[in-house]
Amino acid sequence: ITCSAAISTCKNTGKWDKALQFLGAMVSSSVEPNLITFSTAVSACDNGDRWEKALQLFSFMARSNVEINTLALNATIRAFEKDGEWEKALQLCNVMARW
């Protein structure tokens, strides 16, 4: 819970890089991030205009067998949108439609 709260604080203060550090620390400590933790970290990347990082997290989330929710999907798509990467957003939507 403490790491999730720290990631949320980072998201709210625009410190996407710190949010990723907390998430990495969780994984390194064998603490499995949950849906909310992942979604918050993806949102932090969205807020920081880091679509590459948002996509990496989204992909890691899928590989970790964490159920993907609309919050994580929308944050990833927003990150694409902010950087003018609408084609990538469309590709992600197509992949999710087949999921």
Side-chain angles (χ1 to χ4, degrees):
I1 295 174
T2 303
C3 282
S4 293
I7 291 170
S8 181
T9 299
C10 292
K11 177 193 82 132
N12 293 334
T13 58
K15 298 187 183 330
W16 64 271
D17 53 337
K18 293 289 185 189
L20 296 183
Q21 287 177 6
F22 281 114
L23 184 64
M26 286 179 73
V27 173
S28 295
S29 300
S30 299
V31 176
E32 291 187 29
N34 62 21
L35 173 65
I36 294 170
T37 306
F38 271 118
S39 296
T40 304
V42 170
S43 291
C45 293
D46 164 35
N47 291 348
D49 296 332
R50 301 290 185 216
W51 68 264
E52 298 98 338
K53 296 294 184 185
L55 181 58
Q56 288 173 356
L57 277 178
F58 190 82
S59 297
F60 183 69
M61 185 177 174
R63 289 190 313 274
S64 298
N65 295 322
V66 174
E67 181 183 340
I68 295 175
N69 67 354
T70 55
L71 179 65
L73 178 61
N74 288 341
T76 306
I77 290 171
R78 271 194 315 272
F80 288 142
E81 174 194 13
K82 287 179 181 177
D83 203 34
E85 297 289 342
W86 64 268
E87 297 96 348
K88 289 183 178 23
L90 191 57
Q91 288 174 349
L92 182 59
C93 288
N94 288 333
V95 167
M96 292 307 298
R98 287 182 262 145
W99 190 304

